[in-house]
Amino acid sequence: EQAPLDLRANTLMIGRDAALAALAEEGILGRPTEHSPFGIRVEGRPSLGNIQAFREGLVEVQDEGSQLLAMLVDARAGMHVLDLCAGAGGKSLALAAMMENRGRISACDIYESKVERARERMRRAGVQNSRCRVITGTSDPWLKRHKWDFDRVLVDAPCSGTGTWRRNPDARWASQGTNLEEITAIQESLLHRGSSMVQPGGRVIYGTCSILMRENEDVIAKF
C-alpha cells in the first residue's frame, strides 16, 4: 500500500481540531490519526508549499510513528532534553510543543545542512527553547562537557532504513550493500554516549526506522 501523508498539529500555535478546520478551508481533507493525539492523516498528495497552514507553521510533516517516538520521551516543561541525532529537527519540534516552549532542547547532528534546515523549521514553528548544534560525532567536546546534564536523551539512531521501504521502495535495492556490522557499531556507540549524558533518574529513548532485530532489540540487549 502507498505510504500515508501525516502531519502534526503544532500545538504551540493551534490545536488539532482547529488545524483540521484550517486545512479544510484550503480544500485539504484529513482525519485524526489513530494513535497520536497531535496527528492528522491527509487524503491524497497536496502540495504543502502552497498551503497557508503549513507556511505559517501551524502543521508540520511527520509520520505518526515518529510522533509516537517523540511522545515516548515524556518531555515536560522545564526539562533539559538532548536530541542526539536530530537530523532536520522533526522530533525536536514535537518535543518543544510538548514542553510548551519551556525548558531546553539541544538538537545535535553531524550534518550542517540538516541542522540549518532544523533552524529554519523551528523559526517557522515559533520554537524558542531549542538550540541546534553541529557536532563531530560521539567524541565531540561539547558532548563530553555536558555529561549527566540532561533529563531525557533521545537517540533516533541512523540505520538501514528498512522501515521506510514502503515510502521509498527503491531503497530496498539501494541498501543491499549496507554493512550492518558498521551500522550497529555506530548505534551502540550512540546509545552508550546517550546514556552518559543523562542525569541519574533520567531516561534514554532509543529508536530506529529499521524493522531488523539486529538494529533494535539486539542493540538494546547488548547495551
Side-chain angles (χ1 to χ4, degrees):
E1 296 179 0
Q2 187 178 41
L5 173 59
D6 292 339
L7 307 178
R8 178 184 55 80
N10 177 14
T11 53
L12 292 175
M13 295 184 174
I14 196 170
R16 178 166 66 177
D17 289 344
L20 280 164
L23 290 169
E25 288 180 1
E26 298 189 68
I28 308 300
L29 299 179
R31 66 181 188 276
T33 48
E34 183 177 358
H35 302 291
S36 169
F38 317 110
I40 296 171
R41 183 148 295 178
V42 174
E43 294 184 9
R45 283 290 185 274
S47 177
L48 293 176
N50 297 324
I51 298 174
Q52 185 175 355
F54 178 76
R55 294 198 305 266
E56 294 179 353
L58 303 183
V59 294
E60 286 284 341
V61 178
Q62 187 174 32
D63 284 339
E64 186 180 21
S66 182
Q67 296 179 39
L68 295 176
L69 178 57
M71 290 178 65
L72 286 173
V73 177
D74 190 29
R76 305 171 193 174
M79 283 185 171
H80 192 187
V81 178
L82 172 63
D83 187 355
L84 186 55
C85 309
K91 294 178 185 68
S92 289
L93 288 164
L95 294 172
M98 295 171 196
M99 296 167 68
E100 300 174 347
N101 249 344
R102 292 182 286 166
R104 289 183 293 163
I105 299 172
S106 297
C108 300
D109 203 271
I110 61 173
Y111 297 107
E112 188 170 356
S113 59
K114 291 184 178 182
V115 171
E116 185 54 40
R117 173 65 178 142
R119 291 191 181 107
E120 294 173 4
R121 297 176 71 187
M122 288 172 186
R123 285 193 290 267
R124 184 179 64 206
V127 172
Q128 300 172 356
N129 69 332
S130 183
R131 297 293 179 269
C132 301
R133 178 177 296 276
V134 179
I135 57 174
T136 57
T138 54
S139 60
D140 189 272
W142 184 88
L143 295 177
K144 293 180 178 180
R145 289 197 302 270
H146 288 81
K147 189 175 181 180
W148 302 331
D149 198 25
F150 297 89
D151 300 288
R152 300 284 189 270
V153 175
L154 172 60
V155 181
D156 181 18
C159 65
S160 65
T162 53
T164 69
W165 282 357
R166 179 168 65 157
R167 189 171 302 284
N168 304 293
D170 58 320
R172 176 181 177 185
W173 288 271
S175 64
Q176 283 187 345
T178 298
N179 187 325
L180 281 180
E181 289 187 4
E182 292 181 1
I183 291 177
T184 54
I186 293 170
Q187 292 162 346
E188 292 165 10
S189 176
L190 286 165
L191 188 49
H192 278 279
R193 173 55 70 189
S195 70
S196 75
M197 305 293 290
V198 72
Q199 296 177 1
R203 182 180 298 175
V204 179
I205 298 85
Y206 174 82
T208 75
C209 54
S210 169
I211 60 173
L212 302 180
M213 287 187 64
R214 283 186 63 183
E215 298 181 81
N216 294 298
E217 291 90 344
D218 291 354
V219 170
I220 293 169
K222 188 172 181 179
F223 172 77

